[in-house]
């Protein structure tokens, strides 16, 4: 058993888990809140090409198809299932926005986990290490 004296006194601050916020995402994307709002609203409007103010499964499927994402792709099904929080068969803008927020935070956390040097870019060695850890 290791004694308290032999343990390192300080931990590497880069190894310390950091709580990720939307502010981190905005800084990484070099966006303002207003820019982000415009981007997300534009994406919602892209799917809502009939200007109904909500999305149904057919609209989501059509939008994903125009992006060349097949409807059987996992994220096509998940988008509708996760977004339709109140289970009314429609995805309104607020539901869509919550989904986008969650996905961007998740992607930023993944990026931070791979970017072990925390220099804002993923080096080939970091990517290789992440793939090995993931069993790929």
């Amino acid at each position: 058993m290791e004694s308290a004296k032999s343990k390192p006194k300080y931990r590497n601050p880069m190894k310390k888990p950091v709580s990720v916020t939307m502010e981190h995402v905005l800084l990484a994307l070099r966006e303002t809140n207003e820019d982000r709002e415009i981007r997300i609203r534009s994406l919602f409007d892209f799917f809502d090409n009939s200007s109904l103010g909500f999305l149904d499964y057919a609209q989501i499927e059509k939008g994903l198809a125009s992006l060349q994402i097949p409807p059987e792709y996992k994220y096509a099904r998940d988008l509708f299932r996760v977004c339709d929080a109140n289970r009314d068969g429609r995805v309104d803008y607020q539901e869509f926005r919550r989904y986008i927020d969650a996905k961007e935070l998740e992607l930023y956390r993944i990026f931070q986990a791979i970017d072990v040097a925390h220099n804002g870019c993923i080096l080939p060695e970091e990517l290789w290490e992440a793939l090995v850890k993931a069993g790929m």
Side-chain angles (χ1 to χ4, degrees), residues 100-117:
I100 297 298
D101 288 351
K103 286 297 167 191
E104 286 186 350
L105 286 167
E106 179 184 352
L107 288 171
Y108 186 77
R109 283 185 195 102
I110 292 168
F111 182 87
Q112 288 299 315
I114 296 171
D115 179 22
V116 293

Side-chain angles (χ1 to χ4, degrees), residues 1-71:
M1 189 180 221
E2 203 174 28
S3 72
K5 288 183 180 181
S6 65
K7 287 185 181 178
K9 192 172 185 174
Y10 300 102
R11 298 181 69 186
N12 181 345
M14 294 300 177
K15 299 287 184 185
K16 190 176 176 181
V18 175
S19 178
V20 174
T21 67
M22 195 50 68
E23 292 302 315
H24 292 102
V25 174
L26 288 171
L27 284 170
L29 294 174
R30 296 183 176 107
E31 276 186 328
T32 65
N33 280 320
E34 295 77 22
D35 293 337
R36 186 169 184 276
E37 179 65 29
I38 291 167
R39 177 174 52 83
I40 295 171
R41 176 55 78 174
S42 296
L43 183 59
F44 182 84
D45 291 344
F46 168 80
F47 283 98
D48 183 21
N49 60 0
S50 302
S51 298
L52 299 172
F54 64 86
L55 308 176
D56 60 19
Y57 191 79
Q59 288 173 296
I60 292 171
E61 199 171 49
K62 182 179 174 185
L64 291 172
S66 69
L67 295 171
Q68 300 180 355
I69 299 172

Side-chain angles (χ1 to χ4, degrees), residues 59-89:
Q59 288 173 296
I60 292 171
E61 199 171 49
K62 182 179 174 185
L64 291 172
S66 69
L67 295 171
Q68 300 180 355
I69 299 172
E72 64 274 2
Y73 190 60
K74 174 190 180 305
Y75 293 107
R77 292 188 311 266
D78 286 353
L79 175 64
F80 190 77
R81 183 181 52 78
V82 173
C83 282
D84 186 19
N86 62 8
R87 304 291 182 238
D88 65 354

Side-chain angles (χ1 to χ4, degrees), residues 111-130:
F111 182 87
Q112 288 299 315
I114 296 171
D115 179 22
V116 293
H118 299 290
N119 59 2
C121 59
I122 296 176
L123 302 171
E125 304 81 38
E126 293 171 323
L127 182 57
W128 178 260
E129 183 66 27

